[in-house]
Amino acid sequence: MAYKSFTKSQEQLRPDGVYSSRLVSKFINCLMWQGKKSVAQRIFYDAMERVKDKVKDAPPLEVFEKALDNVKPAVEVRSKRVGGANYQVPMSVKTKRQQSLAIRWLLEAARGKKGRPMCDRLADEFIAAFKGEGEAITTRDNVHRMADANKAFAHFGW
C-alpha cells in the first residue's frame, strides 16, 4: 500500500481564489469565527493589501509565507510521567504541528492587540514576523528557551 502524502481533510482543502494557495486557505479557515468565511477572507485580503503598501521589496504572499516560516518552532516541551514525577521533555515538532502552531500564534498575537481593525493588526504581525520580531516570534523563542532549559530530560523522550 502506497503512503498518501495528503490526509482526507487536506485533499478537501481548496486553494484560495486570489493567491491559489492551500496555506492561505488554511489560514483563512483558522481566522474564521462562527462560520463567517467571507468576513475572514475580507480581513485576510485587506491585511495583505496593507502588507503590500508597507513592504515594497517583497510580494505580500512571500511576506506571509516567510512570516509563517519564521514563527514555526523546531522543538517544544511535552509532559512525560516517569516514576511518579512529571518531566518537561524537549521533543522535535512535526511539520504539520509546526504550521498549526505558527498559525495559532500569529492569530493570538493579532487578536491580543485591541483598539484597531483586525486587518491592521494582522498586517503588522505579518510584517513583524517577516522581520523576525513581534509577539509570535517571542512566543516561539519562549518555547525554544523552555526546551533548552529542560534538555537534561531529553533522554526520557523515547
Side-chain angles (χ1 to χ4, degrees), residues 112-126:
K113 298 173 181 159
K114 300 292 180 188
R116 293 173 43 224
M118 182 60 179
C119 54
D120 290 342
R121 295 180 278 163
L122 199 55
D124 289 346
E125 201 57 43
F126 286 158

Side-chain angles (χ1 to χ4, degrees), residues 80-87 156:
K80 205 64 139 197
R81 188 167 178 86
V82 178
N86 286 324
Y87 295 104
F156 288 127

